[in-house]
Amino acid sequence: MEFDFDLFVIGGGSGGVRAARVAAGETGARVGLAEESRLGGTCVIRGCVPKKLMVFASEYAKGMHEAADYGWEVKIRGFDWPRFRKRLEAELDRLEGVYNGLLENAGVRVFARRAMVADAHSVRLADGKTFTAKHILIATGGRPALPEIGNAGLGITSNEVFHLDELPRRLLIVGGGYIACEMACIFNGLGSKVTQFYRGAQILRGFDDEARGHIAEHMERHGIDIHLGTTVLGMDRAGGAGGLLHKPAGGIEVRSSTGDTFTFDQVLFATGRIPNTAGLGLEAAGVELGRRGEVVVDEYSQTAVPSIYAIGDVTDRVQLTPVAIREGMAFVETVFRGNPTPVDHELIPSAVFTQPEYGSVGLTEDEAAAREPVEIYCTTFRPMHKAFIGREDRVLMKLVVSKATRRVLGVHIVADHAGEMIQLAGVAVKMGATKEDFDRTVAVHPTMSEELVTLKSPVRTL
Ligand code: FAD
């Protein structure tokens, strides 16, 4: 049978764009791609990129105060959100154009439409057009989930947070994951009064406990009001005064599980993300979905229907851009180059762009100790950059080491630029470096990361 396309990709985000571009540009496949919103997807339009730019913007406040203490004459007049937002939107437009150009140059036919799977070899667009394809790739990502509470719609999610008209004066962030914590630090830096509710006992569940405590303590010291063991029971429009920073208006009244009532100008829910599979026609086509609606795939990203594959957040494996990209590359290698390539999901380094940043790779202390006897090497110290001006901010560096093999099983760094550091530590850990390999590496002085190669004795063995 002659198909309209060799590959039809649904979703033009990190994974879909990469797979489409490489399949068309490097293997000569005839590729179609449908995107219902904006090319670039979550990462470029409403995730990593705008977030990181907001992190940069928000860090200047602290930086300017520090500059003053270093001797600079500094006058801080406040943050001009509309000016920043205009520049941010222009940058996202530029990046969207870059993605469009990449696809065009590779010869991918792009449809600015929602698409769904009609059967194992055909895709139907929202305008009713149907195309056949030898292979279909589902790369539809995920979306923020709103909690099931009264009037949750009064709040916003990370989809809207980059487009606010004004900076909220009083902001509630609900959630304790990395997006919630990053947003708390961003808005705190930009000048909002930030309160954070999290139902669990400590923020950043799933990460190393010591690092979590360290970050929470710093966030609180820098003015974020963290309420643990706390959820939102309900919300209403507040009648009284208050309102946005530049435009007084009624705020949002929030009833908490601790029996208190608060008023905020904005409530941001960062309470998890769900895979985008609703209405995609997947189950009818025979594709298996998991409990959370995720597409169930094997190690080659193939679904229960042999011609349909899925990559990225929609598969709910590891929700990170570089992982979606790798899955897209591995898919092309497997299907279009005849070289079956599974994606290696082990030892993925990652960063949380809180302030201070957290970079980690490998096992947490508890995970490692549950598997085998380990030694923990850990230090916290005031870095010279901060100690010089009397700041209390401390860096945390930690190595989790196997007693038996001496391999470094986990590295955890809480420090400015920890994301940059962990990328390199990740190479060593991926190569199977031992504690002794770290020890015989000469320190770079004076740096923060030199502590990683000068940790003498374990602080505990487990
Ligand atoms: P997406 O990028 O979500 O792309 C899916 C695309 O499919 C979207 O453009 C969507 O519009 C489109 N689509 C959906 N359904 C259809 C349909 N039926 N028809 C047509 N098109 C459709 N990751 C990191 O690695 N580092 C970070 O710092 C980071 N920060 C983040 C911050 C935030 C606030 C968020 C929300 C996410 C962040 N992520 C980060 C995660 C990262 O953005 C995702 O892991 C990544 O974008 C997943 O790529 P994807 O291709 O699977 O899906």
Side-chain angles (χ1 to χ4, degrees):
M1 174 181 171
E2 177 63 16
F3 296 103
D4 297 327
F5 291 103
D6 299 312
L7 170 65
F8 200 100
V9 180
I10 304 182
S14 307
V17 167
R18 178 59 68 92
R21 174 161 80 80
V22 177
E26 294 181 20
T27 78
R30 293 167 309 139
V31 181
L33 179 146
E35 167 55 55
E36 68 174 341
S37 173
R38 296 179 65 183
L39 284 175
T42 303
C43 175
V44 177
I45 305 295
R46 58 194 91 87
C48 333
V49 172
K51 172 197 80 184
K52 191 78 191 278
L53 292 169
M54 280 178 70
V55 169
F56 292 143
S58 67
E59 282 175 338
Y60 281 108
K62 195 167 54 164
M64 283 184 286
H65 283 109
E66 289 177 358
D69 287 349
Y70 264 86
W72 288 95
E73 290 291 334
V74 179
K75 254 201 197 110
I76 305 171
R77 291 213 182 84
F79 181 65
D80 187 343
W81 167 260
R83 184 144 67 106
F84 169 77
R85 204 189 74 172
K86 203 165 151 214
R87 194 177 268 265
L88 177 69
E89 284 170 353
E91 177 63 359
L92 302 188
D93 290 346
R94 186 185 73 79
L95 291 172
E96 189 183 3
V98 168
Y99 273 70
N100 208 359
L102 287 172
L103 290 173
E104 250 175 36
N105 290 342
V108 176
R109 215 172 136 193
V110 176
F111 301 89
R113 294 267 182 289
R114 180 170 170 81
M116 64 172 289
V117 172
D119 63 43
H121 288 289
S122 44
V123 165
R124 187 161 48 246
L125 301 185
D127 59 9
K129 284 200 185 92
T130 301
F131 294 101
T132 57
K134 189 169 183 202
H135 297 100
I136 296 171
L137 181 65
I138 310 296
T140 49
R143 65 176 185 283
L146 277 182
E148 287 177 9
I149 53 165
N151 286 333
L154 288 175
I156 58 168
T157 68
S158 59
N159 281 353
E160 293 79 40
V161 76
F162 305 110
H163 307 287
L164 294 175
D165 287 336
E166 285 157 344
L167 205 59
R169 187 160 58 83
R170 299 159 300 179
L171 172 67
L172 172 66
I173 297 184
V174 186
Y178 82 92
I179 294 174
C181 295
E182 291 174 342
M183 288 294 164
C185 295
I186 287 170
F187 280 95
N188 185 51
L190 294 180
S192 299
K193 173 79 198 95
V194 177
T195 306
Q196 186 176 358
F197 284 3
Y198 177 51
R199 65 180 175 186
Q202 184 55 282
I203 57 168
L204 295 173
R205 185 163 66 92
F207 291 99
D208 186 82
D209 280 348
E210 208 168 3
R212 295 166 72 194
H214 191 92
I215 294 166
E217 189 207 309
H218 276 65
M219 284 171 61
E220 287 189 301
R221 190 141 41 78
H222 285 282
I224 299 168
D225 187 14
I226 302 178
H227 295 235
L228 297 170
T230 307
T231 54
V232 175
L233 290 186
M235 315 205 299
D236 283 301
R237 272 183 209 289
L244 301 172
L245 191 60
H246 307 294
K247 193 179 82 179
I252 302 167
E253 213 168 75
V254 172
R255 292 184 306 285
S256 78
S257 56
T258 49
D260 300 304
T261 302
F262 304 81
T263 306
F264 299 100
D265 304 302
Q266 202 67 259
V267 177
L268 168 64
F269 288 106
T271 42
R273 294 178 61 79
I274 43 176
N276 273 333
T277 48
L280 265 188
L282 290 170
E283 277 170 309
V287 173
E288 189 193 338
L289 299 185
R291 209 171 45 86
R292 301 187 68 245
E294 75 277 17
V295 181
V296 178
V297 290
D298 67 11
E299 58 181 336
Y300 302 104
S301 298
Q302 192 172 30
T303 71
V305 178
S307 57
I308 303 181
Y309 287 70
I311 54 166
D313 284 8
V314 75
T315 63
D316 204 16
R317 286 176 282 184
V318 180
Q319 298 191 13
L320 291 172
T321 283
V323 177
I325 289 174
R326 284 202 167 221
E327 289 168 359
M329 300 285 279
F331 159 77
V332 173
E333 195 64 28
T334 301
V335 174
F336 290 95
R337 293 203 176 104
N339 176 24
T341 303
V343 171
D344 179 3
H345 289 104
E346 289 295 309
L347 295 173
I348 296 171
S350 71
V352 177
F353 296 100
T354 39
Q355 299 167 35
E357 257 172 53
Y358 173 29
S360 67
V361 61
L363 301 178
T364 66
E365 176 174 336
D366 286 353
E367 283 167 347
R371 290 186 193 187
E372 59 178 297
V374 287
E375 288 179 351
I376 306 300
Y377 296 80
C378 188
T379 178
T380 72
F381 58 94
R382 284 203 302 163
M384 95 197 253
H385 171 223
K386 307 279 180 175
F388 179 68
I389 48 173
R391 297 295 192 273
E392 288 306 316
D393 294 358
R394 296 180 82 80
V395 162
L396 179 141
M397 302 256 173
K398 177 171 184 172
L399 298 182
V400 180
V401 177
S402 161
K403 261 180 120 168
T405 65
R406 306 298 301 151
R407 275 182 69 158
V408 176
L409 304 173
V411 180
H412 302 272
I413 305 172
V414 183
D416 288 348
H417 311 297
E420 304 289 347
M421 294 184 219
I422 206 68
Q423 179 70 80
L424 302 178
V427 177
V429 173
K430 190 77 184 167
M431 289 175 73
T434 60
K435 173 69 170 70
E436 285 64 37
D437 290 326
F438 273 65
D439 293 345
R440 65 196 175 82
T441 304
V442 174
V444 178
H445 183 74
T447 65
M448 295 183 281
S449 51
E450 67 182 302
E451 295 291 328
L452 282 177
V453 297
T454 53
L455 289 163
K456 284 281 168 289
S457 351
V459 289
R460 52 192 169 270
T461 52
L462 300 161

